[in-house]
Amino acid sequence: MLPIKKAIILILCISKFGFLCSQSTEIRGKVTASSDIDRIHIINKTANRFTITNDDGEFEISASINDTILISAIQYKPLEILVTPFMIQSKFISAHLTDKITELDEVVIGKILTGDLLSDIENSDKKRDLNFYDLGIPGYTGKQKTQSERRLHEATTGSGLVPLNPILNWLSGRTKELKGQIAMENIDNAMDKTKSNLSELLFNTKVLEESKRVEFFYFVSDDPNFLPLSKLNNDLKMLEFLQKKLEEFKMQIEDD
């Protein structure tokens, strides 16, 4: 049987360890990798907390002992780190990410290309089309319009003193139809981008069966706040929005 003094010390040690395990601490971190280390996703899967790295790969996140930290980016393999007592004591985490490599069989067809676009076009059998600059004419260099945007432009512009074409299209409802089509295309593009960037992080913390995920993202895209939020290019705000929508979606499924 342990002496009373040793028993008291043991109890105090156990209590202190239990306190450390339950205590949440702000931990600094540093991510290293072969290339870009900014805007890498850092998520505490246990405590459901999220942040991103700055331009130097540094971050801060709240964590406790035995929490699981997931570090993830599209171009790197996901890395999970279990928070240890030493990390809590030092208040620092260091992580190195490995590149995602998709190996393909080497295939050489025709002439070997150098990587210089203009040079490769000139050396290939296919001749490039003449552009504005070949003819010495200044041309449009802005963002190319989609097919729907071009149709809307044609439907809403006209020539002469009275632009008859826009008036007829407005009366027939074609202009409204084209605007609606462009709005749907913008939502679809934003939804595809959101799924690509944040699906892994979202479903790592809030599980949803694979067969329901497509339905979920259409549920998200119906929210009028989705498109304006996607234009902010803020992953943190978008992830928080998706987490709230996922809770709503699960409640809706349970009610059906």
Side-chain angles (χ1 to χ4, degrees):
M1 190 170 180
L2 286 174
I4 295 177
K5 187 176 180 180
K6 289 184 178 180
I8 292 173
I9 294 173
L10 181 60
I11 292 171
L12 289 175
C13 289
I14 293 173
S15 300
K16 185 177 180 181
F17 181 76
F19 174 74
L20 287 173
C21 287
S22 61
Q23 189 180 30
S24 181
T25 305
E26 284 295 320
I27 298 178
R28 293 183 301 104
K30 172 73 175 178
V31 174
T32 57
S34 61
S35 56
D36 297 334
I37 52 175
D38 62 313
R39 300 190 64 79
I40 290 176
H41 299 132
I42 311 293
I43 187 162
N44 185 331
K45 294 172 61 177
T46 308
N48 196 23
R49 298 180 183 276
F50 172 78
T51 187
I52 57 176
T53 58
N54 62 16
D55 292 343
D56 298 319
E58 300 169 341
F59 65 91
E60 285 189 13
I61 195 165
S62 181
S64 304
I65 294 174
N66 292 330
D67 281 1
T68 300
I69 306 295
L70 172 67
I71 303 177
S72 174
I74 294 174
Q75 69 271 37
Y76 302 118
K77 294 180 180 178
L79 175 64
E80 287 192 353
I81 297 175
L82 185 67
V83 178
T84 65
F86 176 77
M87 292 175 183
I88 294 294
Q89 186 177 3
S90 63
K91 297 184 178 180
F92 185 77
I93 295 176
S94 177
H96 181 76
L97 298 182
T98 306
D99 294 342
K100 278 184 182 177
I101 300 175
T102 304
E103 294 186 358
L104 300 174
D105 295 334
E106 184 177 357
V107 178
V108 178
I109 302 176
K111 297 182 179 181
I112 298 175
L113 304 180
T114 65
D116 185 307
L117 181 60
L118 292 178
S119 174
D120 290 339
I121 291 174
E122 294 297 335
N123 291 331
S124 69
D125 295 328
K126 180 175 176 61
K127 297 299 182 182
R128 65 183 175 89
D129 296 331
L130 292 176
N131 60 31
F132 293 107
Y133 300 103
D134 293 326
L135 302 175
I137 303 172
Y140 176 72
T141 58
K143 180 182 176 182
Q144 294 296 317
K145 289 182 172 64
T146 65
Q147 185 178 34
S148 297
E149 289 171 335
R150 289 196 299 272
R151 287 174 178 170
L152 178 61
H153 178 73
E154 293 168 1
T156 54
T157 58
S159 58
L161 295 176
V162 180
L164 188 59
N165 191 46
I167 294 173
L168 293 175
N169 282 307
W170 178 74
L171 290 173
S172 67
R174 176 170 167 75
T175 300
K176 183 177 180 181
E177 179 185 342
L178 288 171
K179 286 182 178 179
Q181 187 173 340
I182 291 172
M184 289 301 299
E185 288 177 357
N186 289 338
I187 291 174
D188 286 343
N189 291 335
M191 184 172 65
D192 290 341
K193 180 182 176 182
T194 301
K195 283 196 293 186
S196 175
N197 291 346
L198 296 175
S199 284
E200 184 177 359
L201 284 172
L202 176 64
F203 298 127
N204 264 324
T205 55
K206 294 184 178 292
V207 179
L208 181 68
E209 57 184 285
E210 193 79 31
S211 61
K212 293 289 185 182
R213 293 183 183 182
V214 172
E215 183 183 348
F216 164 69
F217 278 108
Y218 279 111
F219 172 76
V220 170
S221 67
D222 286 338
D223 191 307
N225 296 314
F226 170 68
L227 189 58
L229 184 58
S230 70
K231 293 178 181 179
L232 298 178
N233 291 321
N234 188 317
D235 288 344
L236 178 56
K237 289 185 177 180
M238 178 58 78
L239 184 60
E240 291 173 348
F241 174 75
L242 292 176
Q243 289 172 334
K244 291 178 182 177
K245 296 301 293 184
L246 185 53
E247 294 300 327
E248 294 176 18
F249 181 72
K250 286 181 177 179
M251 291 177 62
Q252 179 175 294
I253 292 175
E254 292 173 359
D255 293 339
D256 290 345

